[in-house]
Amino acid sequence: MDLDTVDAVVFGQSLRGLGLNLLVKDVARSTHFLRDVLGMEVFQTSGDFAILRSGTAVLQIHADHTYHSNPLAGVLPEAGARGAGAELRLYEVDPEEALERARAHAGVIVLQEAMNKPHGLREAYILDPDGYCWVPSRPLTADETKAIDQ
């Protein structure tokens, strides 16, 4: 399926499994963050909507104003961070590279530098301009894993 040209009905009917749709204040700002910091591919971006892909995972973002008749609109915060308590994990994005790009991107907060974790991943925690927490990570090397076990 060509994500640049697929129409809404065909795209919607193709979705399977778990879907991720984020509501954002500014689609352009969010797509720039997701592309420039986390390396996602961006498709069909407009002021209202964008399709994004990271590896094989496809996600959507919608501007707040597109949810005027959606029941979720009534619980959106007027100010402050969104998505508290949720981690959006990207398992094939190098955390050091993402951190380097994040530091050059306006409105981004680094919550935690890249660290080797006992569950076998090297991770960083980055808040995007809407307050969503993104966790780019990669598997630890054998030497990194041994160093944790010591």
Side-chain angles (χ1 to χ4, degrees):
M1 169 179 358
D2 184 349
L3 294 176
D4 277 322
T5 60
V6 65
D7 73 36
V9 172
V10 172
F11 178 68
Q13 292 176 346
S14 75
L15 298 173
R16 300 287 183 271
L18 179 66
L20 180 60
N21 180 43
L22 300 179
L23 299 180
V24 299
K25 292 180 182 180
D26 183 330
V27 170
R29 179 183 70 180
S30 294
T31 56
H32 287 120
F33 168 80
L34 295 167
R35 181 194 63 219
D36 298 347
V37 174
L38 299 174
M40 290 189 186
E41 296 174 271
V42 180
F43 306 91
Q44 293 198 29
T45 188
S46 71
D48 295 334
F49 171 78
I51 299 170
L52 297 107
R53 184 169 54 206
S54 177
T56 59
V58 174
L59 65 116
Q60 303 169 66
I61 58 175
H62 282 84
D64 290 346
H65 66 264
T66 66
Y67 265 55
H68 56 83
S69 62
N70 186 291
L72 190 56
V75 298
L76 285 176
E78 290 296 318
R82 299 170 181 217
E87 296 175 355
L88 305 168
R89 294 180 160 267
L90 300 169
Y91 295 111
E92 299 173 285
V93 175
D94 185 274
E96 274 85 13
E97 292 175 10
L99 285 168
E100 183 178 328
R101 295 185 299 259
R103 288 187 179 92
H105 203 281
V108 175
I109 298 169
V110 174
L111 285 181
Q112 184 178 77
E113 296 293 328
M115 296 179 64
N116 294 349
K117 301 291 181 103
H119 52 267
L121 296 173
R122 183 160 180 82
E123 304 172 339
Y125 284 71
I126 302 168
L127 287 183
D128 74 11
D130 281 297
Y132 292 110
C133 181
W134 295 89
V135 184
S137 64
R138 64 160 175 81
L140 296 177
T141 65
D143 289 340
E144 289 170 331
T145 302
K146 285 179 193 173
I148 285 180
D149 292 337
Q150 295 177 8

